[in-house]
C-alpha cells in the first residue's frame, strides 16, 4: 500500500479566499489613480490663471476655478469640456495675435487637460495605473502637438498679404491629404 502524499504548508494547494474579501490581482508597480486627477486639477487651475489677466469679471474667474475643481473630481462630467471651451472663448474674445504666447501655452495645456480627464474618467481614483498604460496616450499627445505646432510654424512663415496661387494649391493638397488620412484612420480595421 502506498502512503498518501504529505503536503507541507508551502506546497499545499491554494485555499480559496474568504467570501468577504474580493480577489486581488497583483499587477506590479504603478501610480494611484488619484494622481491623474491631481494633475488634471493642476492643469485646470493653470488654464484659469493663464486667462485670468484677460478676464474683466472676477466672478468668471471664480466660476472657472470651481469648474476646474469639478473637472478633476468628476472627470466623466461635462466640466472638463466646459473649462476647455471657456478658456478658448476667453482667449478668442480678448483679441490680439492668434499666435501670441498665451495661445501657444494654452494649446498643449488644454490638450493635456483633456487627455488627463479622459484617463481619469476611465480609471477610478482607487485604481493603480501602470506607466505602460500611459505610453500610447503620451505618443498620441506628442503627435498631435507636433502637428499643431508645425501648422503654427507654417502660418508664421507664410506671407500675410494676398497668397500666391502655388500657396493655395499646396494648401488644398494638404487639406485633402489630411482628410484622406483621417478617413483611413477612422475606417481601418483593428
Amino acid at each position: 500500500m502506498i502512503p498518501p502524499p504529505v503536503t507541507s504548508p508551502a506546497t499545499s494547494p491554494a485555499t480559496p479566499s474568504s467570501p468577504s474579501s474580493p480577489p486581488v490581482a497583483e499587477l506590479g508597480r504603478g501610480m494611484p489613480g488619484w494622481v491623474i486627477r491631481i494633475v488634471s486639477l493642476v492643469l485646470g487651475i493653470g488654464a484659469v490663471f493663464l486667462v485670468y489677466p484677460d478676464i474683466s469679471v472676477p466672478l468668471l474667474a471664480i466660476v472657472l476655478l470651481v469648474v476646474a475643481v469639478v473637472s478633476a473630481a468628476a472627470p466623466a462630467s461635462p466640466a472638463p469640456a466646459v473649462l476647455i471651451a471657456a478658456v478658448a472663448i476667453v482667449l478668442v474674445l480678448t483679441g490680439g495675435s492668434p499666435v501670441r504666447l498665451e495661445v501657444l501655452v494654452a494649446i498643449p495645456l488644454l490638450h493635456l487637460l483633456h487627455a488627463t480627464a479622459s484617463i481619469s474618467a476611465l480609471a477610478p481614483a482607487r485604481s493603480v495605473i501602470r506607466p505602460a498604460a500611459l505610453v500610447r496616450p503620451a505618443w498620441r499627445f506628442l503627435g498631435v502637438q507636433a502637428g499643431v505646432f508645425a501648422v503654427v510654424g507654417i502660418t508664421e512663415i507664410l506671407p500675410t498679404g494676398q497668397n500666391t496661387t502655388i500657396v493655395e494649391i499646396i494648401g488644398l493638397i494638404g487639406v485633402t491629404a489630411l482628410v484622406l488620412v483621417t478617413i483611413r484612420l477612422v475606417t481601418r480595421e483593428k
Side-chain angles (χ1 to χ4, degrees):
M1 178 168 166
I2 300 176
V6 178
T7 59
S8 68
T11 61
S12 65
T15 58
S17 61
S18 65
S20 63
S21 65
V24 175
E26 291 294 327
L27 297 175
R29 298 193 128 185
M31 69 177 149
W34 55 264
V35 170
I36 297 287
R37 292 174 190 248
I38 296 295
V39 170
S40 183
L41 176 66
V42 169
L43 292 169
I45 292 173
V48 173
F49 281 115
L50 179 69
V51 295
Y52 180 73
D54 298 331
I55 297 175
S56 59
V57 181
L59 181 62
L60 179 61
I62 294 169
V63 169
L64 288 178
L65 282 173
V66 169
V67 172
V69 171
V70 170
S71 69
S77 71
V82 168
L83 181 62
I84 291 167
V87 169
I89 289 169
V90 168
L91 286 172
V92 168
L93 291 179
T94 56
S97 171
V99 194
R100 63 186 186 275
L101 181 63
E102 292 88 6
V103 175
L104 296 178
V105 170
I107 291 170
L109 182 78
L110 295 177
H111 184 197
L112 195 56
L113 173 65
H114 168 69
T116 57
S118 299
I119 292 169
S120 59
L122 295 173
R126 297 183 323 159
S127 66
V128 175
I129 300 172
R130 296 183 67 180
L134 301 175
V135 170
R136 289 189 76 179
W139 278 111
R140 191 175 305 120
F141 172 81
L142 292 174
V144 168
Q145 292 304 311
V148 166
F149 282 101
V151 169
V152 168
I154 289 170
T155 60
E156 281 299 301
I157 62 172
L158 287 177
T160 56
Q162 183 166 347
N163 292 333
T164 61
T165 306
I166 189 69
V167 171
E168 291 182 10
I169 291 173
I170 291 172
L172 287 173
I173 291 171
V175 168
T176 304
L178 285 174
V179 168
L180 292 175
V181 167
T182 304
I183 290 171
R184 173 76 172 120
L185 289 175
V186 170
T187 59
R188 74 176 177 178
E189 293 183 25
K190 295 182 180 184

